[in-house]
């Protein structure tokens, strides 16, 4: 019997009013995954007035979203998209380029896909 791993790991660091929010997703994300991480994200953002967020999304092990989880992701993006200055997406899946273009509709800042973690982090630092 194979063990099915899925979920999101979230890391949040603060530097003055700027936040670096890092996500690592694996498997197929579910509504339950978003029920777990959304309060964590909401809590971190609520404590900073006018947050400036840079996001690092490691999607190298992401297989996709269940339909309800995709809706949860969209709602989160609509609510906080204006707070993001930059989002770097790490992964090699061909559909990530398309996903980054869709993300640009909901995020005020720039979204870019990288195949190399160091390049992604360096871009976030600019």
């Amino acid at each position: 019997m194979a063990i099915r791993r899925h979920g999101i790991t979230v890391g949040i660091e603060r530097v003055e009013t700027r936040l670096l929010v890092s996500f690592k997703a694996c498997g197929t994300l579910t509504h339950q995954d978003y029920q777990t991480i959304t309060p964590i994200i909401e809590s971190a953002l609520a404590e900073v007035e006018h947050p400036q967020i840079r996001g690092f999304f490691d999607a190298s092990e992401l297989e996709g979203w269940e339909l309800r989880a995709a809706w949860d992701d969209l709602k989160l993006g609509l609510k906080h998209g204006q707070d993001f200055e930059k989002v770097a997406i790490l992964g090699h899946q061909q559909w990530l380029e398309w996903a980054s273009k869709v993300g640009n509709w909901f995020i005020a800042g720039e979204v870019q896909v990288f195949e190399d973690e160091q390049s992604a982090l360096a871009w976030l630092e600019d």
Side-chain angles (χ1 to χ4, degrees):
M1 179 171 101
I3 296 173
R4 182 178 153 242
R5 286 182 58 226
H6 68 93
I8 305 171
T9 304
V10 180
I12 301 171
E13 298 176 50
R14 287 198 187 128
V15 180
E16 301 293 334
T17 60
R18 180 174 285 154
L19 295 178
L20 174 61
V21 180
S22 58
F23 304 93
K24 174 155 176 80
C26 67
T28 301
L29 300 180
T30 67
H31 174 65
Q32 186 176 2
D33 295 330
Y34 279 88
Q35 285 183 309
T36 301
I37 67 154
T38 299
I40 295 167
I41 295 168
E42 297 284 351
S43 176
L45 298 180
E47 293 183 26
V48 179
E49 191 173 330
H50 308 297
Q52 300 169 341
I53 305 169
R54 301 230 172 154
F56 176 72
F57 180 43
D58 183 346
S60 59
E61 296 179 40
L62 177 63
E63 296 169 8
W65 292 263
E66 292 180 349
L67 184 57
R68 192 163 177 197
W71 177 248
D72 292 331
D73 192 68
L74 176 63
K75 289 189 305 186
L76 198 57
L78 288 172
K79 185 171 183 180
H80 296 291
Q82 72 280 358
D83 297 328
F84 281 86
E85 296 178 325
K86 288 184 169 185
V87 176
I89 302 172
L90 176 65
H92 58 278
Q93 303 90 318
Q94 291 182 351
W95 57 268
L96 286 176
E97 281 295 330
W98 178 83
S100 73
K101 288 177 180 28
V102 171
N104 272 322
W105 297 343
F106 304 103
I107 294 174
E110 301 173 72
V111 179
Q112 196 165 341
V113 177
F114 296 87
E115 291 190 17
D116 171 73
E117 183 175 351
Q118 293 306 312
S119 297
L121 294 173
W123 179 75
L124 286 173
E125 287 297 316
D126 281 342

